[in-house]
Amino acid sequence: MTRRWWWWWRERSSAERMDAMVRWPLYLFSTTEPGLALLAVNSRSGAWGPPAAGLLAVSALHAVACVALLRAGLAAHLGGPRPPARLVAGAAAGAIVMAVVGAAVPGFAADPGGGGVPITLTVAMIAGGALTGAVAPLLRTPALLGCVALGAAGAGGLVAAAAAGTTGPGNAPGTAAVEAAMFYAYTVVLVALTYRVSTWMLGVVWEIDRSRAAHASLAVAEERLRFARDLHDVLGHNLSLMAVQSELAARLAGRGDAEAVNRMLDVRQVAHESLREMRAVVDGYRRADLGAELAGAQSLLRSAGVACQVTGAASRGGREQALPPSAQAALGWVVREATTNVIHHSEATTCAIDLEVRDGPGHARTAVLRITNDGVPPVPAGATRPGGSPPAPGAGSGLAGLDERLAGLGGVLTVAREPGGSFVLEARLPVPADATHGTAPAGTPPPARGAAIMLEAGS
């Protein structure tokens, strides 16, 4: 049971976890009514009887009504429908009945010590506090304070009526009523403030979550618009020129003019130039620059609410440029795919990217890219890879493609689950000793045509 609850908790997003941590304490506080009523009954000898049993039953029903009203009120505060009027009326009626029944319990009205709080007032504060907290998400501050004042007046009147006919300097009905009203107002205002602040925090959490989602969507839209502008700038003029030349060639051909052939040759030349320019634009988007990928991954993960830190000597001050273009392209694709997996296939809150170039025997060097996150998704029971072994968390066709890409350059890709629930992706790639910036080993395969832009693939 504990393990199942733990996996349920790990599958929640950060906003959902914060929602639960704010919402459930309010529910638990509202369900304490029967327990507090039981303590009140046990505090007076001779209080047990039919009125006390009725008080406990009414307090239990009122607690259920208040939790239901609070849940509906929180949903309405977050944009859902408002609770039905009968639910509000039922919770209010329950508070009144509970206060009246509490006043009828033997011994609740008396204050033997002459300086304490009558149990009648305590029961009224229990009922009024639960009701006020339940309606806190629904009412504006003036209306909420009005409810507190109304409850204070009712509690004062109830205490005054219960104290009527008693003797003693501390039992004057007027004094008892004022003191009870002030004490009720002070206590219930604190309860209302607690519920109101918690409700406000809940709204802020979900607003931040929606803002992050909107920011990610805008980033994708901006990338698409930038690509569209580049294509328009490259193809717009050439396509217009082809249209004009084609129309001129058609008119010349209609008159039997041999110049129509030259015009169509011009159209062919413009078409070839347009194709070459378009390939250059797309190739620029497809080429994975490692420095840009590291910065982009850090920015994208932070926008998604994942704290990201890039470390390692090779990742500072542009020193990743010391790697040959083939290694930069391959490791850049690893960064892209890992970033996409963290955002779409995990519930990570932190991600660490470490890039090092380690010396080996002789002049051999190895570039090591290690990406660690704490959002490991649960592995489905019985799931296996084609070889029959259990799959590593997050393993998929994207990682398989990266493995093939690195294998073509003599590298290796490994994924593993570490103790403590972390998922680690590590890419090792040999760096030629004579590699210089701006040159690539002969025969280096170009990036796959189907993997144009990470943001496009992730959308």
Side-chain angles (χ1 to χ4, degrees):
M1 182 65 181
T2 303
R3 184 177 180 85
R4 183 180 303 174
W5 180 89
W6 171 251
W7 282 119
W8 176 87
W9 180 257
R10 290 298 301 269
E11 290 175 356
R12 302 302 99 185
S13 65
S14 298
E16 289 173 333
R17 293 177 186 177
M18 189 64 186
D19 181 286
M21 288 188 292
V22 173
R23 183 187 299 263
W24 284 99
L26 299 181
Y27 292 162
L28 292 176
F29 188 76
S30 296
T31 57
T32 58
E33 278 191 86
L36 295 176
L38 180 61
L39 291 177
V41 172
N42 286 332
S43 67
R44 288 291 186 268
S45 59
W48 279 103
L55 174 64
L56 296 179
V58 172
S59 65
L61 294 176
H62 188 244
V64 173
C66 285
V67 171
L69 179 57
L70 177 61
R71 184 173 183 273
L74 292 176
H77 180 76
L78 297 177
R82 294 183 66 84
R86 61 178 180 274
L87 180 59
V88 180
I96 296 174
V97 172
M98 183 175 172
V100 172
V101 173
V105 176
F108 273 21
D111 179 17
V117 177
I119 302 301
T120 299
L121 177 59
T122 302
V123 173
M125 287 192 300
I126 294 172
L131 177 63
T132 304
V135 299
L138 297 171
L139 301 179
R140 296 182 179 274
T141 301
L144 189 61
L145 293 178
C147 289
V148 174
L150 184 62
L158 194 63
V159 170
T166 60
T167 59
N171 292 329
T175 302
V178 173
E179 291 178 349
M182 293 179 62
F183 190 71
Y184 176 96
Y186 174 77
T187 305
V188 176
V189 163
L190 292 181
V191 173
L193 181 62
T194 301
Y195 277 76
R196 176 57 65 87
V197 171
S198 299
T199 302
W200 172 78
M201 289 176 58
L202 207 58
V204 170
V205 166
W206 285 109
E207 184 64 28
I208 293 175
D209 186 71
R210 287 191 294 267
S211 298
R212 287 174 176 170
H215 182 80
S217 299
L218 289 175
V220 174
E222 183 179 357
E223 185 69 14
R224 289 172 175 169
L225 289 175
R226 187 162 69 92
F227 187 76
R229 285 196 302 267
D230 288 351
L231 284 181
H232 178 270
D233 293 341
V234 169
L235 298 180
H237 172 73
N238 290 348
L239 290 177
S240 299
L241 181 59
M242 291 170 61
V244 172
Q245 293 280 21
S246 299
E247 184 178 357
L248 178 59
R251 291 181 180 180
L252 293 175
R255 296 200 301 263
D257 194 333
E259 185 64 20
V261 177
N262 294 331
R263 298 283 76 80
M264 290 307 300
L265 290 176
D266 292 340
V267 170
R268 185 183 66 177
Q269 181 180 358
V270 173
H272 284 303
E273 291 178 355
S274 300
L275 183 60
R276 184 171 58 255
E277 292 176 356
M278 184 180 67
R279 285 174 176 170
V281 171
V282 175
D283 184 66
Y285 274 87
R286 290 168 52 196
R287 187 179 299 115
D289 178 78
L290 185 53
E293 292 301 331
L294 290 172
Q298 189 173 29
S299 176
L300 188 61
L301 288 171
R302 287 177 176 174
S303 298
V306 181
C308 179
Q309 184 178 13
V310 179
T311 59
S315 64
R316 293 192 291 266
R319 293 184 60 185
E320 74 281 345
Q321 300 298 334
L323 299 174
S326 59
Q328 288 196 49
L331 295 178
W333 282 115
V334 174
V335 173
R336 287 187 182 187
E337 180 66 25
T339 303
T340 302
N341 287 344
V342 169
I343 294 176
H344 294 286
H345 305 301
S346 78
E347 293 296 341
T349 58
T350 61
C351 180
I353 304 176
D354 182 79
L355 177 62
E356 295 282 354
V357 178
R358 301 174 182 175
D359 295 330
H363 297 287
R365 295 187 303 160
T366 302
V368 180
L369 176 66
R370 183 181 176 91
I371 302 175
T372 307
N373 72 80
D374 64 348
V376 184
V379 179
T384 59
R385 288 186 289 189
S389 59
S397 59
L399 295 182
L402 290 178
D403 195 13
E404 296 174 359
R405 185 187 299 275
L406 292 175
L409 299 175
V412 63
L413 182 74
T414 59
V415 293
R417 186 198 301 265
E418 286 192 341
S422 296
F423 175 63
V424 180
L425 182 148
E426 184 175 277
R428 292 175 174 266
L429 189 64
V431 180
D434 57 349
T436 59
H437 178 59
T439 62
T444 299
R449 180 177 298 273
I453 304 174
M454 181 198 70
L455 289 176
E456 291 289 342
S459 62

